[in-house]
Amino acid sequence: MGRNMGIAMVCLPDRAEVFVTAARLCVLAALGLSITACASSTTDNVAPAASMTAAADAPVTSVAPRNTGTYPNLNIAPRAAAPQLSDEETSSKKQELRQTLAGQSRAGANGAPGATDLQQLREIGRRQAEAAAGQAATE
């Protein structure tokens, strides 16, 4: 009894106080880490120096509109970027698309061509399973 006389009695906090204190410490630690991460970042961390100089030396080729200081002339007819299809080419392309569509709809009406694919896939799977079982038995 005489040995414990010099130690002060400590009152322990309840669980809620411990949780709030731990949460505050975590927030402070995260805030400190984020501040130090921002302070230590440079452009060298983002991209290598070689790519930065190459991009700076590259000629500027922009397709953005230029400000010429004048109003645009809307009376000039726009130019086509590529030659337009003739009426004969348009009708032949439409006919080709119709034939392709008809062929696809016929294939679907023949009793689901996917069913034969499914049977083939199941057969391949069965063979592979048998081969794996046979290989496992020999090892």
Side-chain angles (χ1 to χ4, degrees), residues 17-129:
E17 290 177 17
V18 171
F19 179 74
V20 169
T21 304
R24 287 179 183 161
L25 288 174
C26 288
V27 168
L28 287 174
L31 182 63
L33 288 174
S34 65
I35 289 173
T36 58
C38 290
S40 66
S41 67
T42 63
T43 56
D44 293 336
N45 295 342
V46 177
S51 67
M52 297 290 283
T53 57
D57 296 339
V60 177
T61 56
S62 176
V63 291
R66 291 177 294 159
N67 184 1
T68 60
T70 61
Y71 290 105
N73 186 356
L74 300 178
N75 295 323
I76 299 173
R79 291 178 294 170
Q84 303 299 305
L85 293 177
S86 66
D87 292 336
E88 295 83 25
E89 291 173 326
T90 303
S91 62
S92 68
K93 291 289 183 185
K94 285 182 180 179
Q95 184 61 28
E96 183 181 331
L97 287 173
R98 286 187 188 111
Q99 289 174 353
T100 304
L101 179 63
Q104 289 175 351
S105 60
R106 270 193 311 263
N110 287 345
T116 57
D117 294 339
L118 182 60
Q119 291 170 353
Q120 290 174 350
L121 289 174
R122 285 188 176 154
E123 179 63 25
I124 291 170
R126 185 185 61 76
R127 283 190 222 136
Q128 287 179 349

